[in-house]
Amino acid sequence: MIETTTCETISDGSLHEAGHCVAALRYGIGVRRVSLDECEIEPPGDFLEQGRHHGALAVGYGVIALAGQAAAPKTVMSTSDQLLLANACFLGSFADCPAEMSRAFSVLAERFVLDHREQIEMLAKVLEERRSLSGVEVLEIIGRGQ
């Protein structure tokens, strides 16, 4: 994992969940709500019908699952993070073996967090203050940082 320095007023939990949110939105997957201990994403629904294929969904899910830990390296993957990663590896396994997919997802997640660190920290600061946000609020906050 990549160690980064952040504002000391942001908890690892806020950074972790903000990492999930920003990754979900950047991969076109909606966020229902986020709290200090969970980011609830939208089910894929018509994601595949929107021109995306299993590989794209696998990459999106893999990065979302690992972005929390990449954003806050001292945190651990929750059961839901592990389940999302397992689903990503399953979707991606049509082309590559799950272990290779998992390694690739880790590299992508770390790169994603480096590229989107400012937005992740901005969202984490607001999450730290409010403790819970709706998906609409997350979109508004992320939109301000673009």
Side-chain angles (χ1 to χ4, degrees):
M1 293 293 148
I2 297 171
E3 291 288 338
T4 56
T5 58
T6 61
C7 175
E8 292 183 32
T9 61
I10 304 173
S11 71
D12 284 341
S14 294
L15 283 169
H16 184 108
E17 299 307 329
H20 289 314
C21 287
V22 173
L25 293 173
R26 292 294 168 248
Y27 277 92
I29 298 170
V31 172
R32 285 187 173 168
R33 61 176 270 314
V34 62
S35 66
L36 291 175
D37 54 9
E38 181 181 44
C39 173
E40 185 180 336
I41 61 174
E42 296 284 341
D46 64 349
F47 192 80
L48 296 174
E49 287 80 27
Q50 294 174 4
R52 295 175 174 97
H53 52 81
H54 284 88
L57 186 58
V59 170
Y61 277 177
V63 172
I64 293 165
L66 294 165
Q69 195 173 27
K74 294 178 185 171
T75 61
V76 296
M77 289 182 69
S78 68
T79 301
S80 60
D81 294 348
Q82 292 172 18
L83 182 58
L84 188 59
L85 181 59
N87 285 324
C89 288
F90 171 75
L91 287 170
S93 70
F94 293 112
D96 294 299
C97 83
E100 289 176 16
M101 291 298 296
S102 185
R103 283 191 295 275
F105 293 153
S106 291
V107 170
L108 289 171
E110 289 177 4
R111 183 76 231 174
F112 180 90
V113 168
L114 286 173
D115 291 345
H116 295 87
R117 191 70 193 189
E118 189 174 306
Q119 288 181 315
I120 291 168
E121 288 183 4
M122 178 184 8
L123 179 60
K125 286 177 187 177
V126 176
L127 181 58
E128 190 74 29
E129 293 171 7
R130 297 189 194 171
R131 306 301 218 207
S132 180
L133 299 166
S134 70
V136 171
E137 291 171 314
V138 170
L139 280 171
E140 290 173 357
I141 293 163
I142 298 299
R144 288 195 305 246
Q146 293 182 351

